[in-house]
Amino acid sequence: MNKRALRLLEFDRITEKLSEYADSLPGRKLCLELLPSDDREEILRNCAFTADAIERLLKRSDVSFSQTIDKDRLIPPLRASRMLDAETLLAAAGFLRCVGRARAYGLNPRDDDAAAPDDSLTAHFSALVPLREISDEISRCVISEEEMADDASPALKQIRRTMSGLHARIRKELNKLTTGSCRQYLQDGVITMRDDRYCIPVKAEFKGQVSGIVHDSSATGQTLFIEPQVIVELNNELKESQIAEKEEIERVLASLSSMLAGRLDDLEFDLDTMAFLDLSFAKARYALETDAMIPHFNERKAFILRSARHPLLAKDKAVPIDVYLGDAFDLLVITGPNTGGKTVTLKTVGLLTLMGQAGMAIPAGDRSELAVFREVYADIGDEQSIEQSLSTFSSHMTNVVSILEKADDECLCLFDELGAGTDPTEGAALAVAILDGLHKRKIRTIATTHYSECKIYAMTTNGVMNGACDFDMESLAPTYKLLIGVPGSSNAFAISRKLGLPEQVIADAKKRVDSGAESFDKLLSDLRNSRKKADAERDNLENIRREVESRNAELLEKEKKFQTERERILEKANTEAREILKEAKAVADETIRAMNRAGADVRSLEKERGRIGEKLSEKNNALAKNQKQERNTGKKVDPAKLKKGDMVRVISMGLEGTVSTLPDKKGDLMINCGIMKTRVNVSDLAAVGEEQDGKKALRSVYGVGEKKKADISRALSISTECKLIGMTADEAVACMDRYLDEAVMAHLRTVRIVHGKGTGVLRNAVHRHLKNIPYVKSFKLGEFGEGDSGVTIVELMV
């Protein structure tokens, strides 16, 4: 991609923001060096990395790459066989431990330790080489940047044991001097160090009384720091041991460096892979923070951006736009008032294209598509605005000429205020000619302008479309929404009036406008109004279509569940039948044994037959008595007081359910028993839920239609939001059921179900289930500022 377009579209600001989400210095470097690609396979591969990183973050807590260090700090010294210092070795050990943790995370990406399917990142995680034996050895030998462990080597341990003995002998000798005969010659009875040698502070006037070597004196000259002769040899031995210690430490450091150098290829691979993974997860974190999605890349050289937002604008302030190009038309001419959003639209299209081709998620709605362009050319802004008009025009024309020379049908061209900065008549003619040349070469182009000639060209040329940045004539303010299919108006008179220009000046200006131009502007206004109405109708039809599709899917799901329940009931019945046959066989066997014992005595056989018959009659009578007793003594259901959602018991089936329809003339009605719906007569129903103390039972599910006293403790403890992101459809429905039950008991009127945008599967499952819950009064998708299509607002009947 050409650097000028990257700079004009502010792609560098995107990479700067992206780098803030990286953990390590190498990861941040890769973010800042990120560039769009024009290789379709590379783009799809990078987008897959980002998508899989997003999926991992949603299913499990984040992974850290913070201990990844710069390659230049490790590889060049090791390649040159140089010794690494303790600080660098500790950093290398920390990096290798980080590699081990990252590998473990990558091979088990779910918190529930379930076996997850491999994704595009699995191979990178599994290829990491933690080199644990080297990191453990470094950690064993090097305690800190300034300290080496005694056990780093046997020689070092022996040297330090010798040094410890020398220290003890020296202090013993010095203690004799400071507490014995030399005490009166000393300035203070302390032992001090000068030039790494033990000394005692002697008064200057007693210099000759203490035999030894003078190493230093105080600032006043009254104190001399003397190394007594008795410990000179011991100090020499200590100095030699210190030199030996330093040499042995360097030998250990060299040995550890050599171990790393022996695995240089693995170490370099780990450094590159960890930096790459840091980049991929930085893209994922940035995507989640900005509510971005991975676009689909088509091969038509067309893009469809739905609810697209400029990524550098705040989410709550950016107005989403729908913009598309390349299918029905390849050239879009955008007109409208200044500060109405024309330039932002250009930059949004260009920047999202660059982000997508860099393997990043884009802040747009579901089903957004991008194309792979070889180059994106842009002529936006005025880089010489402080100079004269001629210089400004010349600057623009220089850029336009360069673009026309290099662009082809594999490129995307963006022009802001094409033909501006010169005589309007000549500028308009040039703008139309340039656009026509690009159109004939089938180059995908978007241009903004104020020239009416460009609007007319778009209206009268096949494959060219007008677009308008909408303007609210009532508030006299831009809405920043893009309308494709109608030309816009500059609204100069309305804006001037709002800014305080005298009315007589505006009236005089209107008189000077050509009547044909005035009629043309009125026609454009009518077209925009018609387009708005048509868009509203289209959106309504689209909502109806989606509702029909949702209902069809719901019916298919219910049918599937019904078949499953039917099979379950049949299986249960077969199991019970087998048990009955088994019991009958046992009775028959008992009868045969009784016959054998009786010796075929007729009276005994008749007696046994009677006993078995009585046993069977007892069981049948008990079953019939239970059902009859429930019909006679159970609380009867008054058909007149029944209402949808009431909880009842179907006596003949022994099941509880909710009333789905009211009784007809014959007293028949439909009852929902779980996922089964059955038709029964009201005489086969009994009320349920009666309290032991005789209080009136609650007839409605979760208190629907009843006024209950609020459970304050429950209301204070339950949240008004249920998050389902990262769950499967079944898990989400079960979780939402439990949450809504508690919300109803807590008398919450409105709650939020957060299901995310994603592919829409989770959202559809939530909506299908909400339609079947009797205490859900209504639900709708969140509006702008409430979470958009990633949130469903549910109103409960409490």
Side-chain angles (χ1 to χ4, degrees):
M1 292 293 172
N2 64 91
K3 293 182 179 179
R4 189 171 190 278
L6 294 175
R7 176 170 53 80
L8 290 176
L9 295 172
E10 300 179 288
F11 186 73
D12 57 329
R13 291 185 59 191
I14 294 296
T15 57
E16 287 175 5
K17 282 186 170 291
L18 178 63
S19 68
E20 296 173 5
Y21 293 87
D23 286 336
S24 64
L25 177 61
R28 286 190 285 274
K29 283 185 177 179
L30 287 183
C31 291
L32 294 172
E33 295 169 359
L34 183 66
L35 291 174
S37 171
D38 59 356
D39 184 331
R40 177 180 175 80
E41 294 303 319
E42 181 183 356
I43 292 170
L44 295 179
R45 189 165 55 249
N46 289 333
C47 285
F49 293 148
T50 305
D52 289 336
I54 293 172
E55 187 72 12
R56 285 171 178 264
L57 291 179
L58 290 174
K59 290 182 177 179
R60 186 176 180 178
S61 55
D62 206 345
V63 58
S64 174
F65 305 95
S66 59
Q67 291 184 285
T68 304
I69 57 181
D70 195 354
K71 280 178 64 174
D72 294 338
R73 187 178 176 187
L74 274 182
I75 303 304
L78 293 177
R79 202 179 295 281
S81 299
R82 294 203 301 269
M83 181 188 75
L84 301 178
D85 58 24
E87 181 183 358
T88 305
L89 284 170
L90 285 174
F95 165 68
L96 292 175
R97 287 193 295 271
C98 185
V99 169
R101 291 191 296 269
R103 189 175 190 275
Y105 171 92
L107 298 181
N108 179 28
R110 292 181 65 92
D111 279 335
D112 57 8
D113 293 330
D118 291 348
D119 57 26
S120 61
L121 294 173
T122 302
H124 293 82
F125 279 112
S126 61
L128 289 170
V129 185
L131 301 178
R132 182 166 297 171
E133 68 282 0
I134 297 180
S135 64
D136 289 346
E137 181 65 12
I138 293 174
S139 299
R140 185 185 70 82
C141 295
V142 185
I143 296 176
S144 69
E145 299 173 7
E146 305 294 334
E147 185 179 0
M148 184 72 70
D150 292 345
D151 294 332
S153 73
L156 182 62
K157 188 173 184 178
Q158 180 59 43
I159 291 170
R160 288 185 172 175
R161 184 180 292 120
T162 300
M163 291 174 62
S164 178
L166 289 171
H167 282 295
R169 290 172 60 189
I170 291 172
R171 284 189 171 277
K172 182 178 179 181
E173 294 294 334
L174 291 177
N175 284 333
K176 289 180 181 179
L177 294 175
T178 57
T179 59
S181 58
C182 294
R183 178 68 185 89
Q184 65 272 26
Y185 307 136
L186 302 181
Q187 195 74 289
D188 197 358
V190 297
I191 300 171
T192 185
M193 300 288 292
R194 287 295 186 274
D195 299 328
D196 291 331
R197 299 180 75 88
Y198 283 95
C199 300
I200 56 177
V202 178
K203 297 176 182 178
E205 59 268 26
F206 298 115
K207 174 183 176 182
Q209 301 300 322
V210 179
S211 176
I213 303 171
V214 178
H215 285 279
D216 197 4
S217 63
S218 65
T220 61
Q222 294 182 2
T223 303
L224 300 178
F225 296 96
I226 298 177
E227 177 185 0
Q229 189 65 42
V230 69
I231 65 167
V232 169
E233 189 60 32
L234 292 176
N235 266 336
N236 290 340
E237 291 181 23
L238 182 61
K239 190 68 176 178
E240 291 173 359
S241 296
Q242 290 172 342
I243 294 173
E245 179 192 33
K246 183 179 179 181
E247 291 175 351
E248 182 61 21
I249 288 175
E250 290 179 351
R251 192 196 67 77
V252 173
L253 294 176
S255 175
L256 295 174
S257 301
S258 178
M259 291 178 67
L260 285 173
R263 303 296 296 272
L264 189 60
D265 291 340
D266 289 335
L267 187 61
E268 189 170 8
F269 175 81
D270 283 348
L271 288 166
D272 290 337
T273 303
M274 290 288 280
F276 157 75
L277 290 171
D278 196 6
L279 169 65
S280 298
F281 277 82
K283 291 179 181 178
R285 297 183 195 106
Y286 180 68
L288 293 174
E289 181 67 25
T290 57
D291 289 338
M293 52 82 66
I294 301 297
H296 167 71
F297 282 89
N298 60 61
E299 300 185 34
R300 309 188 308 273
K301 286 293 179 287
F303 61 78
I304 304 172
L305 296 174
R306 309 175 192 273
S307 301
R309 293 176 283 109
H310 194 289
L312 296 177
L313 298 178
K315 287 189 296 184
D316 56 342
K317 293 182 180 179
V319 178
I321 60 171
D322 294 337
V323 57
Y324 45 92
L325 181 74
D327 286 328
F329 53 91
D330 54 39
L331 196 157
L332 178 63
V333 178
I334 301 177
T335 51
N338 288 324
T339 69
K342 300 190 300 298
T343 303
V344 172
T345 298
L346 276 185
K347 288 189 173 183
T348 300
V349 170
L351 197 49
L352 265 57
T353 298
L354 296 177
M355 290 175 65
Q357 292 188 211
M360 296 180 65
I362 61 173
D366 299 340
R367 299 177 293 117
S368 291
E369 298 182 26
L370 290 177
V372 178
F373 292 105
R374 180 180 61 81
E375 277 285 3
V376 175
Y377 293 106
D379 181 52
I380 299 174
D382 185 2
E383 296 181 291
Q384 298 189 20
S385 59
I386 63 173
E387 299 183 6
Q388 299 299 319
S389 297
L390 181 60
S391 297
T392 301
F393 177 73
S394 298
S395 174
H396 279 294
M397 277 300 107
T398 300
N399 297 331
V400 171
V401 169
S402 176
I403 292 173
L404 294 178
E405 289 176 352
K406 300 174 182 177
D408 56 25
D409 60 356
E410 297 287 321
C411 301
L412 173 65
C413 295
L414 307 171
F415 297 99
D416 190 24
E417 302 292 352
L418 185 61
T422 188
D423 179 77
T425 303
E426 294 179 357
L430 280 172
V432 172
I434 292 169
L435 293 176
D436 190 54
L438 291 166
H439 174 53
K440 289 178 178 178
R441 294 163 61 187
K442 298 187 180 302
I443 298 175
R444 306 299 190 261
T445 305
I446 302 179
T448 68
T449 182
H450 287 285
Y451 293 138
S452 296
E453 291 83 350
C454 293
K455 304 176 190 178
I456 296 172
Y457 168 74
M459 293 175 67
T460 57
T461 307
N462 290 330
V464 183
M465 185 64 70
N466 269 306
C469 287
D470 194 24
F471 188 81
D472 189 346
M473 294 301 296
E474 293 184 2
S475 63
L476 296 179
T479 65
Y480 303 105
K481 293 181 179 179
L482 180 66
L483 302 176
I484 294 181
V486 294
S489 175
S490 297
N491 297 296
F493 293 149
I495 294 174
S496 299
R497 179 181 289 109
K498 181 182 180 181
L499 294 175
L501 190 67
E503 192 65 36
Q504 62 269 23
V505 176
I506 295 174
D508 184 50
K510 286 185 176 181
K511 293 177 183 178
R512 298 174 187 273
V513 174
D514 181 70
S515 60
E518 187 175 0
S519 299
F520 181 67
D521 284 341
K522 187 175 184 304
L523 175 62
L524 295 184
S525 178
D526 293 340
L527 279 174
R528 283 195 299 274
N529 292 334
S530 299
R531 175 59 186 270
K532 288 181 181 178
K533 292 180 180 179
D535 286 346
E537 291 288 338
R538 183 195 63 196
D539 292 342
N540 188 38
L541 290 174
E542 179 67 17
N543 290 334
I544 293 174
R545 183 187 66 80
R546 291 179 182 175
E547 181 69 19
V548 170
E549 289 180 354
S550 176
R551 288 184 180 275
N552 286 338
E554 183 180 349
L555 289 174
L556 290 174
E557 184 69 19
K558 283 185 176 181
E559 183 179 358
K560 182 179 178 181
K561 288 184 177 179
F562 175 78
Q563 291 295 337
T564 303
E565 185 68 13
R566 178 176 177 273
E567 292 174 2
R568 187 188 68 79
I569 292 174
L570 288 175
E571 182 179 356
K572 181 180 178 181
N574 289 332
T575 302
E576 291 177 353
R578 285 195 296 269
E579 291 297 325
I580 293 172
L581 290 175
K582 183 178 179 181
E583 184 178 353
K585 182 178 181 302
V587 172
D589 291 343
E590 182 182 353
T591 302
I592 292 172
R593 287 193 295 270
M595 291 173 61
N596 291 332
R597 289 196 303 270
D601 180 62
V602 176
R603 290 185 179 181
S604 299
L605 291 176
E606 184 64 24
K607 183 177 180 182
E608 184 65 20
R609 185 187 68 79
R611 186 182 66 81
I612 295 172
E614 290 175 0
K615 184 177 181 181
L616 293 175
S617 296
E618 286 176 3
K619 289 187 176 181
N620 291 330
N621 291 336
L623 180 61
K625 183 178 180 181
N626 287 339
Q627 292 187 352
K628 183 176 180 182
Q629 182 178 4
E630 188 166 5
R631 284 194 176 93
N632 294 334
T633 63
K635 184 159 185 175
K636 296 294 184 179
V637 173
D638 187 351
K641 294 183 179 180
L642 270 180
K643 53 183 177 294
K644 293 181 180 180
D646 281 0
M647 200 74 177
V648 294
R649 177 176 177 81
V650 182
I651 299 173
S652 59
M653 297 174 65
L655 297 176
E656 293 183 359
T658 57
V659 176
S660 178
T661 63
L662 296 178
D664 56 17
K665 295 179 179 179
K666 297 181 180 180
D668 294 336
L669 69 162
M670 299 298 293
I671 303 296
N672 284 331
C673 297
I675 64 170
M676 290 194 339
K677 183 178 285 189
T678 182
R679 179 178 292 275
V680 299
N681 193 272
V682 70
S683 61
D684 195 23
L685 299 179
V688 298
E690 189 171 68
E691 302 292 341
Q692 291 182 356
D693 58 0
K695 292 182 179 179
K696 183 178 179 181
L698 295 177
R699 293 181 175 271
S700 299
V701 180
Y702 301 113
V704 176
E706 302 283 348
K707 291 188 176 180
K708 303 184 293 181
K709 186 177 180 181
D711 186 342
I712 297 176
S713 63
R714 183 186 296 272
L716 289 176
S717 63
I718 188 170
S719 171
T720 59
E721 179 177 278
C722 176
K723 294 184 178 180
L724 308 177
I725 294 176
M727 300 183 185
T728 64
D730 291 338
E731 292 171 345
V733 167
C735 178
M736 182 178 68
D737 258 344
R738 292 192 298 270
Y739 171 75
L740 291 178
D741 290 347
E742 300 228 358
V744 169
M745 297 300 292
H747 286 258
L748 297 182
R749 294 186 178 274
T750 305
V751 296
R752 286 162 44 91
I753 307 298
V754 182
H755 43 65
K757 297 178 181 178
T759 60
V761 173
L762 193 57
R763 179 178 63 241
N764 293 336
V766 168
H767 287 187
R768 282 198 303 271
H769 192 67
L770 287 173
K771 293 174 185 176
N772 296 324
I773 300 179
Y775 52 87
V776 171
K777 186 176 182 181
S778 65
F779 63 92
K780 64 176 182 177
L781 286 174
E783 297 181 354
F784 180 69
E786 294 180 326
D788 296 332
S789 59
V791 171
T792 294
I793 308 299
V794 181
E795 185 178 2
L796 302 173
M797 292 190 293
V798 295

